[in-house]
Amino acid sequence: MITFLPLLSKQTGEFAFDLYNLLVLKVLKSETKMTHINWRLINDFCISVDPMKLKTRTQEVTFNNKGREKTSELASVLETWYAQYSKSLFALGDYSACLKICQDAFANITKMHYSNEIWFSRRMAQCLKMQGDIASAITKFEKIIVRKSDWFMLAELADLHSQSGNKEKALLLMHQAMLQPGELSYKVELLEKLGDLYTGSENTQL
C-alpha cells in the first residue's frame, strides 16, 4: 500500500481521488484497531500519504440508538490522518515533528470531531514536557482542563507542577484527580505519587 498510494496519487479523476481516500481511511482504521499497534508501520504509511489529496469535507451518518434515530458527523479523512500521524510520531519519540503536525492540524482543520482539539492540545503539551519545556506544557494543560477535567488530565498537570517545584499546587490537583470519576485500579500510580509528595513534606501519616 505504501508503494501503491504514491502511484495512485498521480492519477486524475474523481474515481482515483475517492479510491485514494478510501484506502487511506481503511488502512488507518484497521491498523489502529490492532491489539498491539505497530506505530512504526502507521508512521511510514502516513509519510507515504499526500495530505493535499485527502478529503476535507465531513460525512453525516444516521444510526439507531435505543429506538431513536440519531445523526452524527464523522471526521474528514484529513483530520483522521492528522490524528493518527501525530499519535505515531509521539509514540516513536519524534516530539518536534509531532508538535508541527498538531499545529498543522489546527491550521488546516476548521471544525474538529471526537474532541480532537483536546487530544491534539494534550499531545502538544506532552511533547513540550518531553522536550523539557515544563512551563509551556503547564500553560497548555491549564487551558485544556478548563474544557476537559478528566482525572488523568488533572494528574498529568499535577505531575508537571511537581516537576516545576510547586508541590502545593501538585497536591491540590492530585486530590482533585482522585475525586474525579474513574476506576481506582487506574489510579495506582497517582496514589503512589501522592504518597511520595506527602512523604517528601514529612507528612508521613497522610
Side-chain angles (χ1 to χ4, degrees), residues 13-77:
E14 187 175 349
F15 176 77
F17 177 72
D18 287 341
L19 179 59
Y20 188 90
N21 279 267
L22 176 64
L23 291 175
V24 169
L25 197 58
K26 289 290 186 183
V27 170
L28 291 178
K29 287 190 173 183
S30 62
E31 289 300 324
T32 52
K33 286 180 180 177
M34 297 289 186
T35 304
H36 301 289
I37 300 175
N38 186 338
W39 289 114
R40 172 59 64 188
L41 177 66
I42 292 174
N43 182 258
D44 290 344
F45 176 75
C46 287
I47 291 172
S48 74
V49 172
D50 181 357
M52 299 297 292
K53 297 283 186 179
L54 299 181
K55 293 180 180 179
T56 57
R57 64 178 182 269
T58 58
Q59 179 184 357
E60 287 191 348
V61 293
T62 302
F63 59 95
N64 192 291
N65 183 21
K66 297 180 180 179
R68 293 184 178 182
E69 279 197 351
K70 288 192 175 182
T71 301
S72 180
E73 190 174 78
L74 303 179
S76 66
V77 181

Side-chain angles (χ1 to χ4, degrees), residues 9-10 32 43 47 65 97 100 103 106 112 114 117 136 164 172 177 183:
S9 68
K10 296 177 182 178
T32 52
N43 182 258
I47 291 172
N65 183 21
K100 184 181 183 307
Q103 290 165 348
F106 278 113
M112 292 194 177
Y114 325 132
E117 68 279 4
S136 296
S164 71
L172 176 63
E183 288 291 332

Side-chain angles (χ1 to χ4, degrees), residues 117-174:
E117 68 279 4
I118 300 292
W119 307 123
F120 280 123
S121 294
R122 181 191 182 206
R123 211 160 291 132
M124 292 174 74
Q126 290 172 326
C127 286
L128 291 166
K129 171 190 173 183
M130 298 304 294
Q131 291 179 329
D133 191 350
I134 304 300
S136 296
I138 287 175
T139 299
K140 189 162 287 292
F141 256 115
E142 292 282 6
K143 293 178 181 178
I144 294 172
I145 65 169
V146 171
R147 297 192 58 187
K148 192 172 182 63
S149 57
D150 289 350
W151 75 267
F152 55 89
M153 295 284 198
L154 294 169
E156 287 181 76
L157 179 56
D159 192 46
L160 288 168
H161 278 294
S162 180
Q163 289 185 44
S164 71
N166 192 343
K167 306 299 183 183
E168 186 177 342
K169 181 69 172 180
L171 276 171
L172 176 63
L173 287 164
M174 285 182 182

